[in-house]
Amino acid sequence: KAGVTQTPRYLIKTRGQQVTLSCSPISGHRSVSWYQQTPGQGLQFLFEYFSETQRNKGNFPGRFSGRQFSNSRSEMNVSTLELGDSALYLCASSSGQIKETQYFGPGTRLLVL
Amino acid sequence: DAKTTQPPSMDCAEGRAANLPCNHSTISGNEYVYWYRQIHSQGPQYIIHGLKNNETNEMASLIITEDRKSSTLILPHATLRDTAVYYCIVSPTGGSQGNLIFGKGTKLSVKP
């Protein structure tokens, strides 16, 4: 079974721009979560989508948004990029059932200049 | 904030068992203990989880104390490829609803 895939793997943007990252979950998984990883803050939960609905949300500003499509693929958008948004963005999928674990993708490394 | 406490770093000789401790003294009755690891610049990888019984799979063993306030992840024969940051997480849902709370983890260095 193919794992979680994320595109693009690397991205360079400038301040003020916006960016869209994509995540394809493991086949059959209906839950997709997004995390941000920085050296200072570590791994932090952004939000989770299940069956096209945002089910859980972390403590991030409204510049960070996401959506999920009917095929469970998910996109994350960051508007008005700031230097501090430079990070590894990780996507994880799960079946969405209680106690089922998450499987992470390789991440998208975003550099904001 | 993370509900677990782990040593920031540990060394282990190749071929020896690596024992990684984790304290979770405020764990609730419905919370499981999960272990993930992250090899440099890759996404975290699930290792094992348990509620109160010891667990073993092809990657590792998990020993949970009877009072559930601490646990130990055991890699029986560590290899150089086991060098990674290991995260201990307590969660009632296992991350099935996202919102895993990662602490700083333990950086395990396996040395030849």
Side-chain angles (χ1 to χ4, degrees):
Chain A
K1 201 185 253 192
V4 178
T5 58
Q6 293 187 244
T7 56
R9 293 294 311 278
Y10 303 92
L11 204 50
I12 300 175
K13 291 285 188 178
T14 56
R15 279 182 300 172
Q17 286 187 309
Q18 72 160 8
V19 67
T20 299
L21 311 181
S22 180
C23 172
S24 293
I26 291 171
S27 177
H29 282 185
R30 296 166 65 191
S31 168
V32 174
S33 299
W34 290 89
Y35 293 80
Q36 180 197 65
Q37 185 172 29
T38 60
Q41 299 299 317
L43 263 160
Q44 293 184 287
F45 170 70
L46 279 155
F47 32 66
E48 183 239 358
Y49 285 86
F50 179 78
S51 293
E52 302 178 66
T53 301
Q54 188 179 90
R55 187 164 62 171
N56 287 288
K57 187 178 188 303
N59 189 25
F60 277 81
R63 299 186 298 109
F64 293 82
S65 62
R67 59 178 176 169
Q68 187 180 33
F69 302 96
S70 58
N71 62 357
S72 294
R73 190 177 69 85
S74 176
E75 288 182 347
M76 190 193 92
N77 184 274
V78 188
S79 62
T80 320
L81 283 166
E82 300 176 0
L83 296 179
D85 297 333
S86 294
L88 179 66
Y89 290 89
L90 292 156
C91 164
S93 78
S94 90
S95 67
Q97 301 303 312
I98 199 85
K99 294 176 291 186
E100 288 297 315
T101 191
Q102 290 188 317
Y103 297 88
F104 284 81
T108 294
R109 188 163 295 279
L110 172 66
L111 177 62
V112 182
L113 301 175
Chain B
D1 288 349
K3 296 177 65 175
T4 61
T5 305
Q6 299 177 254
S9 64
M10 293 182 64
D11 290 341
C12 178
E14 189 178 19
R16 303 297 294 268
N19 296 281
L20 292 94
C22 179
N23 286 319
H24 32 79
S25 58
T26 60
I27 191 169
S28 300
N30 67 337
E31 289 184 312
Y32 285 69
V33 179
Y34 284 79
W35 283 83
Y36 284 78
R37 73 179 181 183
Q38 187 174 25
I39 296 169
H40 184 62
S41 293
Q42 297 182 21
Q45 176 190 24
Y46 166 78
I47 301 172
I48 197 168
H49 74 281
L51 183 63
K52 46 186 170 182
N53 297 323
N54 298 337
E55 303 287 344
T56 296
N57 64 19
E58 64 278 4
M59 288 182 68
S61 294
L62 174 60
I63 309 298
I64 302 174
T65 58
E66 194 168 341
D67 63 7
R68 301 211 322 125
K69 293 185 177 182
S70 65
S71 61
T72 301
L73 178 74
I74 301 172
L75 307 178
H77 306 287
T79 71
L80 299 178
R81 287 177 293 181
D82 292 322
T83 292
V85 178
Y86 287 77
Y87 297 98
C88 168
I89 300 166
V90 295
S91 168
T93 62
S96 61
Q97 300 186 8
N99 66 15
L100 284 177
I101 300 175
F102 287 82
K104 296 189 183 302
T106 295
K107 185 171 183 178
L108 175 68
S109 298
V110 181
K111 300 182 185 297

